[in-house]
Amino acid sequence: YVVEGHQRGGLGRQLFEGMLAQEAVPPERLGYDRPSPKLISFLRRHYGLAKYQPQSNHFVVFDAYFGPAAKSLAGRSCSAPSKLPEPESP
């Protein structure tokens, strides 16, 4: 979330892009729990995500999740998570 006084300046997209990079996943491969109208608009504007089937639990998975890219990802096996760096000694 970006506080209203700082919205429309690109900070939200920077935060979202950073999260996508950290998670190594495209936005259409995520599920969104009760997304706000502003988030839905953001995803439509920046990533072309618009089509989804409304759910009674308000969870959103965009139709693109089930598209051709999803089929190619489904065949890959999961790799072991990378090891976190050791904390520095004081």
Side-chain angles (χ1 to χ4, degrees):
Y1 176 78
V2 176
V3 70
E4 286 192 33
H6 295 281
Q7 290 178 3
R8 312 230 21 108
L11 294 175
R13 184 149 187 203
Q14 286 179 348
L15 286 169
F16 198 76
E17 290 285 336
M19 181 276 300
L20 293 174
Q22 179 69 32
E23 297 299 321
V25 64
E28 65 271 13
R29 298 291 300 159
L30 295 173
Y32 301 87
D33 188 15
R34 297 184 187 264
S36 69
K38 284 186 177 183
L39 179 58
I40 296 288
S41 177
F42 173 88
L43 294 169
R44 178 181 293 119
R45 179 174 49 252
H46 294 294
Y47 302 102
L49 297 174
K51 295 182 182 180
Y52 64 92
Q53 301 302 314
Q55 303 292 316
S56 60
N57 62 2
H58 303 286
F59 201 83
V60 169
V61 176
F62 288 96
D63 292 356
Y65 182 92
F66 304 101
K71 290 182 178 89
S72 67
L73 290 173
R76 297 190 325 186
S77 62
C78 295
S79 60
S82 59
K83 186 177 177 184
L84 295 174
E86 297 294 321
E88 293 182 17
S89 300

Coordinates of all heavy atoms in Angstrom, one line a residue:
Y1 N 0.8 -1.2 0.0 CA 0.0 0.0 0.0 C 0.9 1.2 0.0 O 1.9 1.3 0.7 CB -0.9 0.0 1.2 CG -1.8 1.2 1.3 CD1 -2.9 1.4 0.5 CD2 -1.4 2.3 2.2 CE1 -3.6 2.6 0.6 CE2 -2.2 3.4 2.3 CZ -3.3 3.5 1.5 OH -4.1 4.7 1.6
V2 N 0.5 2.2 -0.8 CA 1.2 3.5 -0.8 C 0.2 4.5 -0.3 O -0.9 4.6 -0.9 CB 1.7 3.9 -2.3 CG1 2.3 5.2 -2.3 CG2 2.7 2.8 -2.8
V3 N 0.6 5.3 0.7 CA -0.3 6.3 1.3 C -0.7 7.3 0.2 O 0.0 7.6 -0.8 CB 0.4 7.0 2.4 CG1 1.5 7.9 2.0 CG2 -0.6 7.8 3.3
E4 N -2.0 7.7 0.3 CA -2.6 8.5 -0.8 C -1.8 9.7 -1.2 O -1.8 10.0 -2.4 CB -4.0 9.0 -0.4 CG -5.0 7.8 -0.4 CD -6.4 8.2 -0.3 OE1 -6.8 9.3 -0.8 OE2 -7.2 7.4 0.3
G5 N -1.1 10.4 -0.3 CA -0.3 11.6 -0.7 C 0.8 11.3 -1.6 O 1.4 12.2 -2.3
H6 N 1.2 10.0 -1.7 CA 2.4 9.6 -2.5 C 2.0 8.7 -3.7 O 2.8 8.2 -4.4 CB 3.4 8.9 -1.6 CG 4.0 9.8 -0.6 ND1 5.0 10.7 -0.9 CD2 3.8 10.0 0.7 CE1 5.3 11.4 0.1 NE2 4.6 10.9 1.1
Q7 N 0.7 8.5 -3.9 CA 0.2 7.7 -5.0 C 0.4 8.4 -6.3 O 0.5 9.7 -6.3 CB -1.2 7.3 -4.8 CG -1.4 6.3 -3.7 CD -2.9 5.9 -3.4 OE1 -3.8 6.3 -4.1 NE2 -3.1 5.1 -2.4
R8 N 0.3 7.7 -7.4 CA 0.4 8.3 -8.7 C 1.8 8.8 -9.0 O 2.0 9.7 -9.9 CB -0.7 9.3 -9.0 CG -2.0 8.8 -8.6 CD -3.2 8.9 -9.5 NE -3.0 9.0 -10.9 CZ -3.2 8.1 -11.8 NH1 -3.6 6.9 -11.4 NH2 -3.1 8.3 -13.1
G9 N 2.8 8.3 -8.3 CA 4.2 8.8 -8.6 C 5.1 7.6 -9.0 O 6.3 7.8 -9.1
G10 N 4.6 6.4 -9.1 CA 5.4 5.3 -9.5 C 5.9 4.4 -8.4 O 6.5 3.4 -8.6
L11 N 5.6 4.8 -7.2 CA 6.2 4.1 -6.0 C 5.5 2.7 -5.9 O 6.2 1.7 -5.6 CB 6.0 4.9 -4.7 CG 6.8 6.1 -4.6 CD1 6.4 6.9 -3.3 CD2 8.3 5.8 -4.6
G12 N 4.2 2.7 -6.1 CA 3.5 1.4 -6.1 C 4.0 0.4 -7.1 O 4.2 -0.8 -6.8
R13 N 4.3 0.9 -8.3 CA 4.8 0.0 -9.3 C 6.2 -0.5 -8.9 O 6.5 -1.7 -9.1 CB 4.8 0.6 -10.7 CG 5.2 -0.3 -11.7 CD 4.6 -0.1 -13.1 NE 4.9 -1.1 -14.0 CZ 4.9 -1.0 -15.3 NH1 4.5 0.2 -15.8 NH2 5.2 -2.0 -16.1
Q14 N 7.0 0.4 -8.4 CA 8.3 0.0 -8.0 C 8.3 -1.1 -6.9 O 9.0 -2.1 -6.9 CB 9.1 1.2 -7.5 CG 9.6 2.1 -8.5 CD 10.4 3.3 -7.9 OE1 10.4 3.5 -6.7 NE2 11.0 4.0 -8.8
L15 N 7.4 -0.9 -5.9 CA 7.2 -1.9 -4.9 C 6.7 -3.2 -5.4 O 7.2 -4.3 -5.1 CB 6.2 -1.4 -3.8 CG 6.7 -0.3 -2.9 CD1 5.5 0.3 -2.1 CD2 7.7 -0.9 -1.9
F16 N 5.7 -3.2 -6.3 CA 5.1 -4.4 -6.9 C 6.2 -5.1 -7.7 O 6.3 -6.3 -7.6 CB 3.9 -4.0 -7.7 CG 3.0 -5.2 -7.9 CD1 2.2 -5.7 -6.9 CD2 2.9 -5.8 -9.2 CE1 1.3 -6.8 -7.1 CE2 2.1 -6.9 -9.4 CZ 1.3 -7.4 -8.4
E17 N 6.9 -4.4 -8.6 CA 7.9 -5.0 -9.4 C 9.0 -5.6 -8.5 O 9.5 -6.7 -8.9 CB 8.6 -3.9 -10.3 CG 7.6 -3.4 -11.4 CD 7.4 -4.4 -12.5 OE1 8.3 -5.3 -12.8 OE2 6.4 -4.3 -13.2
G18 N 9.4 -5.0 -7.4 CA 10.4 -5.5 -6.5 C 9.9 -6.8 -5.9 O 10.7 -7.8 -5.8
M19 N 8.6 -6.9 -5.5 CA 8.0 -8.1 -5.0 C 8.0 -9.2 -6.0 O 8.4 -10.4 -5.8 CB 6.6 -7.8 -4.5 CG 5.9 -9.0 -3.8 SD 5.1 -10.1 -5.0 CE 3.9 -9.1 -5.7
L20 N 7.6 -8.9 -7.3 CA 7.6 -9.9 -8.4 C 9.0 -10.4 -8.6 O 9.2 -11.6 -8.8 CB 7.0 -9.2 -9.6 CG 5.6 -8.8 -9.6 CD1 5.2 -8.1 -10.9 CD2 4.7 -10.0 -9.4
A21 N 10.0 -9.5 -8.6 CA 11.4 -10.0 -8.8 C 11.8 -10.9 -7.7 O 12.5 -11.9 -7.9 CB 12.3 -8.8 -9.0
Q22 N 11.5 -10.5 -6.5 CA 11.9 -11.3 -5.3 C 11.3 -12.7 -5.3 O 11.9 -13.7 -5.0 CB 11.5 -10.6 -4.0 CG 11.9 -11.3 -2.7 CD 13.4 -11.4 -2.5 OE1 14.1 -10.5 -2.8 NE2 13.8 -12.5 -1.8
E23 N 10.0 -12.7 -5.7 CA 9.3 -14.0 -5.8 C 9.5 -14.8 -7.1 O 9.1 -15.9 -7.2 CB 7.8 -13.8 -5.5 CG 7.5 -13.2 -4.2 CD 7.9 -14.1 -3.0 OE1 7.7 -15.3 -3.2 OE2 8.3 -13.6 -2.0
A24 N 10.1 -14.1 -8.1 CA 10.4 -14.7 -9.4 C 9.1 -15.3 -10.0 O 9.0 -16.4 -10.4 CB 11.5 -15.8 -9.3
V25 N 8.0 -14.4 -10.0 CA 6.7 -14.9 -10.5 C 6.1 -13.7 -11.2 O 6.2 -12.6 -10.8 CB 5.9 -15.4 -9.4 CG1 5.5 -14.4 -8.4 CG2 4.6 -16.1 -9.9
P26 N 5.4 -13.9 -12.4 CA 4.7 -12.8 -13.0 C 3.4 -12.6 -12.3 O 2.9 -13.4 -11.6 CB 4.5 -13.4 -14.5 CG 4.5 -14.9 -14.3 CD 5.4 -15.2 -13.2
P27 N 2.8 -11.4 -12.5 CA 1.6 -11.0 -11.8 C 0.4 -11.9 -12.1 O -0.4 -12.1 -11.2 CB 1.4 -9.6 -12.2 CG 2.1 -9.4 -13.4 CD 3.3 -10.3 -13.4
E28 N 0.4 -12.5 -13.3 CA -0.8 -13.3 -13.6 C -0.7 -14.7 -12.9 O -1.7 -15.4 -12.9 CB -0.9 -13.5 -15.1 CG 0.2 -14.2 -15.8 CD 1.3 -13.3 -16.2 OE1 1.4 -12.1 -15.8 OE2 2.2 -13.8 -17.0
R29 N 0.4 -15.0 -12.3 CA 0.6 -16.3 -11.6 C 0.3 -16.2 -10.1 O 0.6 -17.1 -9.4 CB 2.0 -16.9 -11.9 CG 2.3 -17.2 -13.3 CD 1.5 -18.3 -13.8 NE 1.8 -19.5 -13.1 CZ 1.0 -20.6 -13.0 NH1 -0.2 -20.6 -13.7 NH2 1.3 -21.6 -12.3
L30 N -0.3 -15.0 -9.7 CA -0.6 -14.8 -8.3 C -2.1 -14.8 -8.1 O -2.8 -14.5 -9.0 CB 0.0 -13.5 -7.8 CG 1.5 -13.3 -7.8 CD1 1.8 -11.8 -7.5 CD2 2.1 -14.2 -6.8
G31 N -2.5 -15.2 -6.9 CA -3.9 -15.0 -6.4 C -3.9 -13.8 -5.5 O -3.0 -13.5 -4.8
Y32 N -5.0 -13.1 -5.6 CA -5.2 -11.8 -4.8 C -6.4 -12.0 -3.9 O -7.5 -12.2 -4.3 CB -5.4 -10.7 -5.8 CG -4.2 -10.5 -6.7 CD1 -4.2 -11.2 -7.9 CD2 -3.1 -9.7 -6.4 CE1 -3.1 -11.0 -8.8 CE2 -2.0 -9.5 -7.2 CZ -2.0 -10.2 -8.4 OH -1.0 -10.1 -9.3
D33 N -6.1 -11.8 -2.6 CA -7.2 -12.0 -1.6 C -7.9 -10.6 -1.3 O -7.2 -9.7 -0.9 CB -6.6 -12.5 -0.3 CG -7.6 -12.8 0.8 OD1 -8.8 -13.0 0.4 OD2 -7.3 -13.0 1.9
R34 N -9.1 -10.5 -1.7 CA -9.9 -9.3 -1.6 C -9.2 -8.0 -2.1 O -9.0 -7.1 -1.4 CB -10.3 -9.1 -0.1 CG -11.2 -10.2 0.4 CD -11.6 -9.8 1.9 NE -12.3 -10.9 2.4 CZ -13.7 -11.1 2.5 NH1 -14.4 -10.1 1.9 NH2 -14.2 -12.1 3.0
P35 N -8.8 -8.1 -3.4 CA -8.2 -6.9 -3.9 C -9.1 -5.7 -4.0 O -10.3 -5.8 -4.3 CB -7.8 -7.3 -5.4 CG -8.8 -8.4 -5.7 CD -9.1 -9.1 -4.4
S36 N -8.6 -4.5 -3.7 CA -9.4 -3.3 -3.8 C -9.6 -2.9 -5.2 O -8.9 -3.3 -6.1 CB -8.6 -2.2 -3.0 OG -7.5 -1.8 -3.8
P37 N -10.6 -2.1 -5.4 CA -10.8 -1.6 -6.8 C -9.6 -0.9 -7.4 O -9.3 -0.9 -8.6 CB -12.0 -0.6 -6.7 CG -12.7 -1.1 -5.5 CD -11.7 -1.6 -4.5
K38 N -8.8 -0.2 -6.5 CA -7.6 0.5 -6.9 C -6.6 -0.5 -7.4 O -5.8 -0.3 -8.4 CB -7.0 1.4 -5.8 CG -7.7 2.7 -5.7 CD -7.0 3.5 -4.7 CE -7.7 4.9 -4.5 NZ -7.0 5.8 -3.6
L39 N -6.4 -1.7 -6.7 CA -5.5 -2.7 -7.1 C -5.9 -3.3 -8.4 O -5.1 -3.6 -9.3 CB -5.3 -3.8 -6.0 CG -4.4 -4.9 -6.4 CD1 -3.0 -4.4 -6.7 CD2 -4.3 -5.9 -5.3
I40 N -7.2 -3.6 -8.6 CA -7.7 -4.2 -9.8 C -7.4 -3.2 -11.0 O -6.9 -3.6 -12.0 CB -9.2 -4.4 -9.7 CG1 -9.5 -5.5 -8.7 CG2 -9.8 -4.8 -11.1 CD1 -9.2 -6.9 -9.1
S41 N -7.6 -1.9 -10.8 CA -7.3 -0.9 -11.8 C -5.8 -0.9 -12.1 O -5.4 -0.8 -13.2 CB -7.8 0.4 -11.3 OG -7.4 1.4 -12.2
F42 N -5.0 -0.9 -11.1 CA -3.5 -1.0 -11.2 C -3.1 -2.1 -12.0 O -2.2 -2.0 -13.0 CB -2.9 -1.0 -9.8 CG -1.4 -1.2 -9.7 CD1 -0.6 -0.1 -9.8 CD2 -0.9 -2.5 -9.6 CE1 0.8 -0.3 -9.7 CE2 0.5 -2.7 -9.6 CZ 1.4 -1.6 -9.6
L43 N -3.6 -3.3 -11.7 CA -3.2 -4.5 -12.5 C -3.7 -4.5 -13.9 O -3.0 -4.9 -14.8 CB -3.8 -5.8 -11.8 CG -3.2 -6.1 -10.4 CD1 -4.0 -7.1 -9.7 CD2 -1.7 -6.4 -10.5
R44 N -4.8 -3.9 -14.1 CA -5.3 -3.7 -15.5 C -4.4 -2.8 -16.3 O -4.0 -3.0 -17.4 CB -6.7 -3.2 -15.5 CG -7.3 -3.0 -16.9 CD -8.7 -2.4 -16.9 NE -9.6 -3.5 -16.4 CZ -10.4 -3.3 -15.3 NH1 -10.4 -2.2 -14.6 NH2 -11.2 -4.2 -14.9
R45 N -4.1 -1.6 -15.7 CA -3.3 -0.6 -16.4 C -1.9 -1.0 -16.7 O -1.4 -0.8 -17.8 CB -3.3 0.7 -15.5 CG -2.5 1.8 -16.1 CD -2.7 3.1 -15.2 NE -2.4 3.0 -13.8 CZ -3.4 3.0 -12.9 NH1 -4.6 3.3 -13.2 NH2 -3.1 2.9 -11.6
H46 N -1.2 -1.6 -15.7 CA 0.2 -1.9 -15.8 C 0.5 -3.3 -16.4 O 1.6 -3.5 -16.9 CB 0.9 -1.8 -14.5 CG 0.9 -0.3 -14.0 ND1 1.6 0.7 -14.7 CD2 0.3 0.3 -13.0 CE1 1.4 1.8 -14.1 NE2 0.7 1.6 -13.0
Y47 N -0.4 -4.3 -16.2 CA -0.1 -5.7 -16.6 C -1.2 -6.3 -17.5 O -1.1 -7.4 -17.9 CB 0.1 -6.5 -15.3 CG 1.2 -6.0 -14.5 CD1 0.9 -5.3 -13.3 CD2 2.5 -6.2 -14.8 CE1 1.9 -4.8 -12.5 CE2 3.5 -5.7 -14.0 CZ 3.2 -5.0 -12.9 OH 4.2 -4.5 -12.1
G48 N -2.2 -5.5 -17.8 CA -3.2 -6.0 -18.7 C -4.1 -7.1 -18.1 O -4.7 -7.9 -18.9
L49 N -4.1 -7.2 -16.8 CA -4.9 -8.2 -16.2 C -6.3 -7.6 -15.9 O -6.5 -6.7 -15.1 CB -4.3 -8.6 -14.8 CG -2.9 -9.3 -15.0 CD1 -2.3 -9.6 -13.6 CD2 -3.1 -10.6 -15.8
A50 N -7.3 -8.2 -16.5 CA -8.7 -7.7 -16.3 C -9.7 -8.7 -16.2 O -10.7 -8.5 -15.4 CB -9.0 -6.8 -17.5
K51 N -9.5 -9.9 -16.8 CA -10.6 -10.9 -16.8 C -10.4 -11.9 -15.7 O -9.3 -12.5 -15.5 CB -10.6 -11.7 -18.2 CG -10.9 -10.8 -19.3 CD -11.0 -11.6 -20.6 CE -11.3 -10.8 -21.8 NZ -11.3 -11.5 -23.0
Y52 N -11.4 -12.1 -14.9 CA -11.5 -13.1 -13.8 C -12.9 -13.4 -13.5 O -13.8 -12.7 -13.9 CB -10.8 -12.6 -12.6 CG -11.4 -11.4 -11.9 CD1 -12.3 -11.5 -10.9 CD2 -11.1 -10.1 -12.3 CE1 -12.9 -10.4 -10.3 CE2 -11.6 -9.0 -11.7 CZ -12.6 -9.2 -10.7 OH -13.1 -8.1 -10.1
Q53 N -13.1 -14.5 -12.9 CA -14.4 -15.0 -12.5 C -14.6 -14.6 -11.1 O -13.9 -15.0 -10.2 CB -14.6 -16.5 -12.7 CG -14.4 -17.0 -14.1 CD -15.3 -16.3 -15.1 OE1 -16.5 -16.2 -14.9 NE2 -14.7 -15.8 -16.2
P54 N -15.7 -13.8 -10.8 CA -15.9 -13.5 -9.3 C -16.2 -14.7 -8.5 O -16.8 -15.7 -8.9 CB -17.2 -12.6 -9.4 CG -17.3 -12.1 -10.8 CD -16.6 -13.2 -11.7
Q55 N -15.6 -14.7 -7.3 CA -15.8 -15.8 -6.4 C -16.5 -15.3 -5.1 O -16.4 -14.2 -4.7 CB -14.4 -16.3 -5.9 CG -13.5 -16.8 -7.1 CD -14.1 -18.0 -7.7 OE1 -14.5 -19.0 -7.1 NE2 -14.1 -18.0 -9.1
S56 N -17.2 -16.2 -4.5 CA -18.0 -15.8 -3.3 C -17.1 -15.4 -2.1 O -17.4 -14.7 -1.2 CB -18.9 -16.9 -2.8 OG -18.2 -18.1 -2.5
N57 N -15.8 -15.9 -2.1 CA -14.9 -15.6 -1.1 C -14.0 -14.4 -1.4 O -13.1 -14.0 -0.7 CB -14.0 -16.8 -0.8 CG -13.1 -17.2 -2.0 OD1 -13.2 -16.6 -3.0 ND2 -12.3 -18.2 -1.8
H58 N -14.3 -13.7 -2.5 CA -13.7 -12.5 -3.0 C -12.2 -12.7 -3.3 O -11.4 -11.7 -3.4 CB -13.8 -11.4 -1.9 CG -15.2 -11.0 -1.6 ND1 -16.0 -10.3 -2.4 CD2 -15.9 -11.4 -0.5 CE1 -17.2 -10.2 -1.8 NE2 -17.2 -10.8 -0.7
F59 N -11.8 -13.9 -3.5 CA -10.4 -14.2 -4.0 C -10.4 -14.1 -5.5 O -11.3 -14.5 -6.2 CB -10.0 -15.6 -3.5 CG -8.6 -15.9 -3.5 CD1 -7.8 -15.5 -2.4 CD2 -7.9 -16.5 -4.5 CE1 -6.5 -15.7 -2.3 CE2 -6.5 -16.7 -4.5 CZ -5.8 -16.3 -3.3
V60 N -9.3 -13.4 -6.0 CA -9.2 -13.2 -7.5 C -8.0 -14.0 -8.0 O -6.9 -13.8 -7.5 CB -9.1 -11.7 -7.8 CG1 -8.7 -11.5 -9.2 CG2 -10.4 -11.0 -7.5
V61 N -8.3 -14.8 -9.0 CA -7.3 -15.4 -9.8 C -7.6 -15.1 -11.2 O -8.7 -15.4 -11.7 CB -7.2 -17.0 -9.6 CG1 -6.2 -17.6 -10.6 CG2 -6.9 -17.3 -8.2
F62 N -6.8 -14.3 -11.9 CA -7.1 -13.9 -13.3 C -7.1 -15.0 -14.2 O -6.4 -16.0 -14.1 CB -6.1 -12.8 -13.7 CG -6.3 -11.5 -13.0 CD1 -5.6 -11.2 -11.8 CD2 -7.3 -10.6 -13.4 CE1 -5.8 -10.0 -11.1 CE2 -7.5 -9.4 -12.7 CZ -6.7 -9.1 -11.6
D63 N -7.9 -14.9 -15.3 CA -8.0 -15.9 -16.3 C -6.6 -16.2 -16.9 O -6.4 -17.4 -17.3 CB -9.0 -15.5 -17.4 CG -10.4 -15.4 -16.9 OD1 -10.7 -15.8 -15.8 OD2 -11.3 -15.0 -17.7
A64 N -5.7 -15.3 -17.0 CA -4.4 -15.5 -17.6 C -3.6 -16.5 -16.8 O -2.7 -17.1 -17.3 CB -3.6 -14.1 -17.6
Y65 N -4.0 -16.7 -15.5 CA -3.3 -17.8 -14.7 C -3.4 -19.1 -15.4 O -2.5 -19.9 -15.3 CB -4.0 -17.8 -13.3 CG -3.3 -18.8 -12.4 CD1 -2.3 -18.4 -11.5 CD2 -3.7 -20.2 -12.3 CE1 -1.7 -19.3 -10.7 CE2 -3.2 -21.1 -11.5 CZ -2.2 -20.6 -10.6 OH -1.6 -21.5 -9.8
F66 N -4.5 -19.4 -16.1 CA -4.7 -20.7 -16.7 C -4.4 -20.7 -18.2 O -4.7 -21.6 -18.9 CB -6.2 -21.0 -16.6 CG -6.6 -21.0 -15.1 CD1 -7.3 -20.0 -14.6 CD2 -6.3 -22.1 -14.3 CE1 -7.7 -20.0 -13.3 CE2 -6.7 -22.1 -13.0 CZ -7.4 -21.0 -12.4
G67 N -3.7 -19.6 -18.7 CA -3.3 -19.5 -20.1 C -2.2 -20.3 -20.5 O -1.6 -21.2 -19.7
P68 N -1.6 -20.1 -21.7 CA -0.5 -20.9 -22.3 C 0.7 -20.9 -21.4 O 1.4 -21.9 -21.3 CB -0.3 -20.3 -23.6 CG -1.5 -19.5 -23.9 CD -2.1 -19.1 -22.7
A69 N 1.0 -19.8 -20.8 CA 2.2 -19.7 -20.0 C 2.1 -20.6 -18.7 O 3.1 -21.2 -18.3 CB 2.5 -18.3 -19.5
A70 N 0.9 -20.8 -18.2 CA 0.7 -21.6 -17.1 C 0.9 -23.1 -17.4 O 1.5 -23.8 -16.6 CB -0.8 -21.5 -16.6
K71 N 0.6 -23.5 -18.7 CA 0.8 -24.9 -19.1 C 2.3 -25.2 -19.2 O 2.7 -26.2 -18.8 CB 0.1 -25.1 -20.4 CG -1.4 -25.1 -20.2 CD -2.1 -25.5 -21.6 CE -3.6 -25.5 -21.4 NZ -4.3 -24.3 -21.5
S72 N 3.1 -24.2 -19.6 CA 4.5 -24.5 -19.7 C 5.2 -24.5 -18.4 O 6.1 -25.2 -18.1 CB 5.2 -23.4 -20.6 OG 5.2 -22.1 -20.0
L73 N 4.7 -23.7 -17.4 CA 5.2 -23.7 -16.1 C 4.8 -25.0 -15.3 O 5.5 -25.4 -14.4 CB 4.7 -22.5 -15.3 CG 5.3 -21.1 -15.7 CD1 4.6 -20.0 -15.0 CD2 6.8 -21.1 -15.5
A74 N 3.7 -25.5 -15.6 CA 3.2 -26.7 -14.9 C 4.1 -27.9 -15.1 O 4.2 -28.8 -14.2 CB 1.8 -27.0 -15.4
G75 N 4.8 -28.0 -16.2 CA 5.6 -29.1 -16.5 C 7.0 -29.1 -15.8 O 7.7 -30.1 -15.7
R76 N 7.3 -27.9 -15.3 CA 8.6 -27.8 -14.6 C 8.5 -28.3 -13.2 O 7.5 -28.2 -12.5 CB 9.1 -26.4 -14.6 CG 9.3 -25.8 -16.0 CD 9.9 -24.5 -15.9 NE 9.5 -23.6 -14.8 CZ 9.9 -22.4 -14.7 NH1 10.7 -21.8 -15.6 NH2 9.5 -21.7 -13.6
S77 N 9.6 -28.9 -12.7 CA 9.6 -29.3 -11.3 C 10.2 -28.2 -10.5 O 10.9 -27.3 -11.0 CB 10.6 -30.6 -11.2 OG 11.9 -30.2 -11.5
C78 N 9.8 -28.2 -9.3 CA 10.2 -27.1 -8.3 C 11.6 -27.4 -7.9 O 12.0 -28.5 -7.6 CB 9.3 -27.1 -7.1 SG 7.6 -26.6 -7.5
S79 N 12.4 -26.3 -7.9 CA 13.8 -26.5 -7.4 C 13.8 -26.1 -5.9 O 12.9 -25.5 -5.4 CB 14.7 -25.5 -8.2 OG 14.3 -24.2 -8.0
A80 N 14.8 -26.6 -5.3 CA 15.0 -26.3 -3.9 C 15.2 -24.8 -3.7 O 15.9 -24.1 -4.5 CB 16.2 -27.0 -3.3
P81 N 14.6 -24.2 -2.6 CA 14.8 -22.8 -2.4 C 16.3 -22.5 -2.2 O 17.0 -23.3 -1.6 CB 14.0 -22.5 -1.2 CG 13.7 -23.8 -0.5 CD 13.9 -24.8 -1.6
S82 N 16.7 -21.3 -2.6 CA 18.1 -20.9 -2.4 C 18.3 -20.6 -1.0 O 17.5 -20.2 -0.2 CB 18.4 -19.6 -3.3 OG 17.6 -18.6 -2.9
K83 N 19.6 -20.9 -0.6 CA 20.0 -20.7 0.8 C 20.1 -19.3 1.2 O 20.6 -18.5 0.4 CB 21.3 -21.5 1.1 CG 21.7 -21.4 2.5 CD 23.0 -22.2 2.7 CE 23.4 -22.2 4.2 NZ 24.6 -22.8 4.4
L84 N 19.5 -18.9 2.3 CA 19.6 -17.5 2.7 C 21.0 -17.2 3.2 O 21.7 -18.1 3.8 CB 18.6 -17.2 3.9 CG 17.2 -17.3 3.5 CD1 16.3 -17.2 4.8 CD2 16.8 -16.3 2.5
P85 N 21.5 -16.0 3.0 CA 22.9 -15.6 3.5 C 23.0 -15.7 5.0 O 22.0 -15.4 5.7 CB 23.1 -14.2 2.9 CG 21.8 -13.7 2.6 CD 20.9 -14.9 2.4
E86 N 24.1 -16.1 5.5 CA 24.3 -16.1 6.9 C 24.4 -14.7 7.5 O 24.9 -13.8 6.8 CB 25.6 -16.9 7.2 CG 25.6 -18.3 6.8 CD 24.7 -19.1 7.6 OE1 24.5 -18.9 8.8 OE2 24.0 -20.0 7.0
P87 N 23.9 -14.5 8.7 CA 24.0 -13.1 9.3 C 25.4 -12.8 9.6 O 26.2 -13.7 9.9 CB 23.1 -13.2 10.5 CG 22.9 -14.7 10.8 CD 23.1 -15.4 9.5
E88 N 25.7 -11.5 9.5 CA 27.1 -11.1 9.7 C 27.4 -11.1 11.2 O 26.5 -10.8 12.0 CB 27.3 -9.6 9.2 CG 27.2 -9.6 7.7 CD 27.5 -8.2 7.2 OE1 28.0 -7.3 8.0 OE2 27.2 -7.9 6.0
S89 N 28.6 -11.4 11.6 CA 29.0 -11.4 13.0 C 29.2 -9.9 13.5 O 29.6 -9.1 12.7 CB 30.3 -12.2 13.2 OG 30.1 -13.5 12.8
P90 N 28.9 -9.7 14.8 CA 29.1 -8.3 15.2 C 30.5 -7.9 15.4 O 31.4 -8.4 15.3 CB 28.4 -8.3 16.6 CG 28.1 -9.7 17.0 CD 28.3 -10.5 15.7

